[in-house]
Amino acid sequence: MKIDRLLAITVLLLNRGRLSAKELADRFEVSSKTIYRDMDTLCQAGIPIVAHQGITGGFEIMEHYMIDKYWLSAEEMSTLVTAVKGLSSALEDPQMGMLLEKIKALLRRVEQGLGDEYRKEPVVMDFQPWGQRQGLKPAVGLLKQAIHDKRRVQMEYIDAEGSAERRTIEPASLFLKGNVWYVQAFCLEREDFRLFRLSRMQDIKMLSEAYEPRPWPGKERLEWDSSWSNAREQETVLLFEAAARQRVADMFPPEQVTVNPDGSLRVHVLYKLDEWFYGMILSFGDQVLVEFPGEAAEEVKRRAKRMLLRYDNPDR
């Protein structure tokens, strides 16, 4: 719809600055002539559009122009409230509380005269998982403050092999991946950027030493890096008992799961046969059988036997 395109163009110009007619036409899949007509419409509506000629020309909105807060609908503001509430569940930050109150105040004004359906919360976000370690909020707050103040942090870090090592880092950015917190930081011991999982950081202290921010590989999301595991990815077939169906549904998409006539579930998936894989398999106890590959099944048997020996000889 034209009105939707006009609003989208306005928001885009406010966020991006100058854009050419061709850039806008390509983005909205219309002709350049349509974009010129849209600009005339926006000008007539009182939005101060400025046109620039030449190679670097294009359209932009006059500096200091702002959209009135009521251009956000009640539903859009409600979405903001949901997002901020979710972050508040994971952050011990007074600013989040203040931001939430401000958005709620705007939402109440927009809601006046609207039906009760706008006051419902169809989505609730809570980043504190059930049954997992609590108490990471202070660590998140400390690292957030260290990033803001540009101060180094010292901590004891438990690596993938289970050994603890003292590290001094220059934190650059915090990531919340699913319900797991990470900090990307420059590690002085490794002389390179590293990704640290907060649940493995202990005895965290913010030092008085300041640092100058380094050019770092910033990103808006974290993708899996194959270098994190040296194991080779290979086809894996797992057979689960029917009693494990709930956990199987939590872990695997339906297209990877076949339900057998007896209720058991066969899962075909690509896995790296590393410590994470064997820990996951053993967590199912006798509710899973590794059908393929054979070497993975043998490794699970070896680990299970070592567990039995440990219980038979508790003093070892």
Side-chain angles (χ1 to χ4, degrees), residues 94-106:
Q95 290 182 345
M96 283 294 162
M98 289 299 299
L99 177 59
L100 184 59
E101 291 304 316
K102 289 178 181 178
I103 299 175
K104 280 183 176 179
L106 292 177

Side-chain angles (χ1 to χ4, degrees), residues 136-174:
L136 285 179
K137 283 186 178 182
V140 173
L142 184 148
L143 289 165
K144 184 172 179 286
Q145 190 64 45
I147 293 169
H148 179 271
D149 296 344
K150 300 180 180 61
R151 290 171 60 183
R152 288 175 174 168
V153 169
Q154 195 174 70
M155 48 94 178
E156 196 88 11
Y157 192 69
I158 302 171
D159 62 20
E161 282 69 42
S163 58
E165 184 180 352
R166 204 72 183 164
R167 301 283 190 97
T168 303
I169 61 173
E170 297 173 356
S173 186
L174 281 162

Side-chain angles (χ1 to χ4, degrees), residues 88-130:
S88 298
S89 71
L91 283 173
E92 202 166 66
D93 190 343
Q95 290 182 345
M96 283 294 162
M98 289 299 299
L99 177 59
L100 184 59
E101 291 304 316
K102 289 178 181 178
I103 299 175
K104 280 183 176 179
L106 292 177
L107 179 59
R108 279 193 293 271
R109 295 180 188 178
V110 175
E111 280 181 337
Q112 289 175 0
L114 298 177
D116 290 339
E117 65 272 13
Y118 287 99
R119 295 175 173 84
K120 296 177 182 177
E121 292 191 69
V123 178
V124 175
M125 297 182 184
D126 188 343
F127 296 110
Q128 285 292 342
W130 282 313

